[in-house]
Amino acid sequence: MTRRAIALLLAVGMAAAGCTTAEPAGTDASSGSAPRTGSVAGAEAPAVDPGVLPTVEREPGTLRLAEGLPPPTNRWFSGLVFGDEAQPVFPLPLAVGLTASGFAYGLPEVRADGTLVAGAYAPQVEIDLGEGVTGVVTGYDAATVSVDLVAGDESVRGTLHLTRGSPVVRYTARAAHPVGLSRAFGVDAGAGLPEGTATTDVDGRDHVLTGVAGTDVGAALDEAGTTLELDAGESVAWLVAPDAAEGAETLGDLVEAASDPVEASTVGYATDPDAVTTSVGYATASGGPAVVVRFPHQRDVADDATCGLGTYATVLGTVDVCLGSELSWRSTARDPVVGLDLSGIDGSAREELVDQVAADAERVLDETRPADTYFGGKALARDANLWTLARDLGLDDVAADLRQSLLTDLRLWTDPDGCTERPERCFTWEPTLRTVVGQATSFGSEEGNDHHFHYGYFLYAAGVLAADDAALAEEVAPVVDLLAADVAAAADVPADDGPPIPALRTLDVVMGHSWASGPSPFGDGNNQESASEAVSAWHGLALWADARAAAGLEDRGLTAQARWMLSLEAASARAYWTDFDRSDPAAEGLEADVTSLVWDGKRERATWFSAEQSAALGIVVLPVTGASAYLGDDPERVRDNLAEALGTDDLWAQESAWDVMFGDQLLMYAGLLGPDDAASALEVARELPAERVDDGSTRSWMLAWLHQQAA
């Protein structure tokens, strides 16, 4: 019997509901485009085989998804596919929702107040197809999504097309039918707009309706301007006018471009020692420029798009309107780091570290590491760091004991047959969601939640331990490579039992950061809290890529890809979580220096797990590693963020101020202020209560990090 034939009955909360995949008459092929999921241009799929793991099938209910597509977990539009009812989604700057008989869109009103920036979905124009329909996702890639609107007889009424980062919504009729509009649109050829367009005023802003590929809106609209008569194959698009556009002529240029629809997107990247460049290409029907926006994290421009054509307020900040076939931008290059630099530490500082490492090693070796994928992975990464300290301090016996303990657990976790023998500390293949699920599960990982957080710790531990051990890298590669492919494959990974493992499952390339929720059952879109753990995931991926390369294993571009993802996520983590522009008009009224929970429809200083103010900063700092220097690019912002988290501007006036949740992480963050503050942090760190040391770290690591910063 093959591993794939093994069905395990594990206590992992598998749902009892039946699972079906929607099979509308109109699949992606009938919508005029090939199936797509968003591979990086020219990337090779990793050579992995999900069949090495035993299968545990989860039944999440009906998926509103065309047959043959991998379920899009961890995407900005996941809420369209999962759950009893489709959730609103935020292509941005617009928000879109499906209705019982069609769809609606609106430009969110962005308001900042206290610790929240909100831009909720509020429909402004509703499109009624005249009968009940269900939305079924029939194709997607890095920046585009196609949704067939399927009637009760399973015929496709039409297709809704959305583009990430575009103020345009497009609809294509698949059969001749009237389209009802909740607002009257009037044709006005004298408004400086292309002939055959129509407009309506919504709260003082023009919404423009234009034909696509020859569709004449003027001829299709009835006299009242509330009904469009569309023939099969005809398309129309809605464009919401931006703020501060340079007159009607500029708006006319945008409308003309909106009539040349975006059909697909492409992703590319380049790396050099100082910067990585990310490119998102927009392929239109006629090859013309697309109407897109440039987000705050994209402002180090590396393209020739025409921008300055207006602005929109979004929860991420003010975005600039552009016309172009590609948006490219640069992010500061970040490199992986194994361990810490102890070369400048000697004398009493070295003696302090030797004693603390010995004490911490004795403690962790006397404990059993947790069995679930989150806390179990954190413990492996924690002890891998402790091992590097013991090794670099010359504690050979301590290092040997730590390494042996780590290898025992790493081999347990990476045994492909592990879940045939035990219910935890092992991985399975879940064929419905096309994902790897660790046992025991935690934080909804069986639904796809937080996989990059969890697996990043395993990648990190494997990368550190196998850095100089080719035999170990080769031994654990079958499972560790699967973990990497699950969250970060650069190209779709073929699988014998169905659709592929999708490319870049968690990374939203346009936004430059990842999404944490698998099904995204929320009215504000998807979300990510611990941006620092996302950065850590790609740091782990980079360390694992280096270890594989050193072992002579086939690279397939992984070393460059990991550095790109690490650099891209670090830039967005600062742009939206820790170092965002407080002077942006969209943030006026915000009284928080950190927004620790970022959604498409809001940003807030809040966490899922604690109301403590220190938690909001700590969760976007941990885990502190050798690559965490990116958090300190603006020392004055570090100081402001700490003052907010601790409730005091005088960071060192009272040691008790640090006796808070994530006190150790905040002390290490304070080390980025410079040598003097790092020395002050050391004084506090020595006496910090043990319960304030995070379970993914040790006092040894905290002291060593601060000694490095103070040296």
Side-chain angles (χ1 to χ4, degrees), residues 296-450:
H297 71 282
Q298 300 173 336
R299 287 176 180 159
D300 186 355
V301 176
D303 59 59
D304 59 359
T306 300
C307 297
L309 305 179
T311 62
Y312 299 94
T314 76
V315 298
L316 300 175
T318 303
V319 300
D320 194 22
V321 183
C322 305
L323 287 176
S325 297
E326 179 181 277
L327 287 187
S328 299
W329 65 96
R330 286 178 289 265
S331 309
T332 301
R334 310 290 178 177
D335 291 316
V337 181
V338 175
L340 298 175
D341 181 6
L342 305 183
S343 61
I345 302 172
D346 54 20
S348 60
R350 190 175 188 87
E351 291 176 7
E352 178 182 40
L353 288 181
V354 165
D355 290 344
Q356 190 62 55
V357 168
D360 283 337
E362 182 178 6
R363 176 179 56 82
V364 302
L365 289 171
D366 195 41
E367 298 173 349
T368 300
R369 295 185 185 95
D372 69 281
T373 50
Y374 181 67
F375 291 105
K378 283 185 74 171
L380 281 173
R382 173 199 68 197
D383 296 347
N385 283 336
L386 191 58
W387 168 71
T388 65
L389 293 179
R391 178 198 62 188
D392 295 345
L393 289 167
L395 299 174
D396 295 343
D397 291 343
V398 173
D401 289 344
L402 282 168
R403 184 175 178 84
Q404 184 56 51
S405 173
L406 283 161
L407 293 180
T408 297
D409 273 11
L410 183 63
R411 286 176 170 132
L412 193 70
W413 277 103
T414 58
D415 174 8
D417 290 315
C419 281
T420 65
E421 302 165 356
R422 57 186 178 275
E424 58 190 24
R425 295 184 173 86
C426 57
F427 293 97
T428 62
W429 170 243
E430 201 293 288
T432 303
L433 296 181
R434 318 303 295 165
T435 190
V436 178
V437 177
Q439 312 296 342
T441 60
S442 54
F443 302 107
S445 56
E446 69 278 8
E447 298 180 336
N449 293 351
D450 298 352

Side-chain angles (χ1 to χ4, degrees), residues 1 72 169 241 245 325 327 341 353 371 379 408 416 427 433 481 548 561 568 573 615-616 651 661 667 689 699:
M1 179 178 292
V169 174
S325 297
L327 287 187
D341 181 6
L353 288 181
T408 297
F427 293 97
L433 296 181
D481 281 347
R548 293 181 84 266
Q561 177 202 337
L568 185 64
L651 301 183
M661 179 178 284
L667 282 166
R699 195 179 301 274

Side-chain angles (χ1 to χ4, degrees), residues 46-59:
V48 297
D49 178 16
V52 303
L53 298 176
T55 295
V56 174
E57 187 164 2
R58 184 175 186 273
E59 299 183 349

Side-chain angles (χ1 to χ4, degrees), residues 445-498:
S445 56
E446 69 278 8
E447 298 180 336
N449 293 351
D450 298 352
H451 279 202
H452 57 317
F453 297 164
H454 295 210
Y455 301 167
Y457 287 114
F458 288 92
L459 292 166
Y460 182 90
V464 169
L465 292 168
D468 298 309
D469 190 337
L472 177 64
E474 189 170 359
E475 177 186 353
V476 302
V479 171
V480 177
D481 281 347
L482 260 176
L483 301 184
D486 184 67
V487 296
D492 290 352
V493 182
D496 293 338
D497 64 339

